[in-house]
Amino acid sequence: MTYSIGGHIIIIHAPGQLLRQLLPSFTPFIVDTHDEAHEAQATMQLYLDNNPATDRAASHKVNTAAEVAGEDEAKRFVRDVDTGNGITRVERYNNGAYRFLIHSIEGKECALLTSSADFAQCHCTILADTEIWQSFALNNAMMLAYAFSTASQDTLLLHASVVRYQGKAYAFTAPSGTGKSTQVANWLRAIDGCDLINDDNPIIRMMPDGKPMLYGSPWSGKTPCYRNVETPLGAIIKIERADSDYTTPLSPLKAFSILITSCSSMKWDEEIHDRTCQTISAIVGSTKMMTLHCTPNTSSAIVCKDALYT
């Protein structure tokens, strides 16, 4: 199955019916036709292992984890990462390839993702034995593989909620529970002509003309908003709770520190981390950045809009 996500061609080698079942949020991103040109253009290809628990037929084109990582490569422990949905154990092979063991929030092993050093070739074995956890496993594996395979192509997967207004995308970022979704809901209620692009993990990509473009993605947290749309990025707004509504500008250094903690990256991988930092610097240098100090009231949306358009 071929997908276009954030302008990148992504190919998953597995039966289409299975992918529609396990990855329903990816359906709007399906490319109608698949040909050799897509394979040549693909940013990432993932080969999904057959899982006997679902009694499905294996894809006719399956790479093994050993082929992706190297038959006899030794690996070392890197770290355990708390994703908020469970622990993912990261290991790295001597040739630079990666191995991720993805756990559920209850600590059960759900998936094993193996990737080449550049994440262009990935292999995923689903370990979960129920459909809900198989879907969770594949979604998480795809999110990891996408974020790191596209990092070298000026692309970020950002933790933010996004509205579109007058042809521009406005991304609200903050720690979970601070009020991103509340602010987006206020815009939708108080400002005519707004629509929701994504409520958790939009994609930002620096384009060849030096301008950032924001895309919807298959990952949108608790709000099912999976839109295959692209819109020029108008601003990134950091949300902070306050007793009144007002805005303050963000310095480039502060803006950089906010974005680096709000996107998917691997600080221990120097090449990927450097490219991520370059992309963030380009976004900060070309995008309006500010803090919205706000109450949970709809008045905060009006204050924010007025600051953006004055």
Side-chain angles (χ1 to χ4, degrees), residues 8 42-44 117-120 145-157 204-206 264-265 269-279:
H8 299 286
T43 298
M44 184 265 287
D118 62 0
F119 288 84
Y146 180 87
F148 302 139
S149 66
T150 60
S152 64
Q153 298 188 41
D154 307 314
T155 303
L156 293 181
L157 190 60
I204 300 177
R205 185 175 181 182
M206 289 301 300
S264 300
S265 186
D269 188 306
E270 185 175 345
E271 183 174 349
I272 288 178
H273 187 63
D274 284 351
R275 290 303 300 266
T276 299
C277 289
Q278 290 171 24
T279 302

Side-chain angles (χ1 to χ4, degrees), residues 184-257:
V184 165
N186 286 340
W187 274 66
L188 296 174
R189 282 195 295 265
I191 302 171
D192 291 336
C194 289
D195 63 327
L196 180 66
I197 291 181
N198 187 276
D199 200 33
D200 197 54
N201 284 110
I203 297 159
I204 300 177
R205 185 175 181 182
M206 289 301 300
M207 307 308 288
D209 63 1
K211 297 179 180 178
M213 188 71 69
L214 186 138
Y215 296 80
S217 83
W219 306 284
S220 190
K222 297 177 182 178
T223 303
C225 183
Y226 313 112
R227 302 183 64 189
N228 190 3
V229 298
E230 58 182 271
T231 307
L233 179 63
I236 297 176
I237 302 104
K238 180 179 183 289
I239 298 292
E240 287 191 3
R241 291 178 178 175
D243 295 328
S244 60
D245 303 315
Y246 62 100
T247 64
T248 55
L250 276 172
S251 69
L253 183 59
K254 183 65 174 176
F256 182 94
S257 68

Side-chain angles (χ1 to χ4, degrees), residues 113-131:
L113 174 68
T114 307
S115 78
S116 57
D118 62 0
F119 288 84
Q121 298 287 323
C122 299
H123 178 276
C124 182
T125 300
I126 295 180
L127 306 175
D129 56 4
T130 63
E131 184 176 321

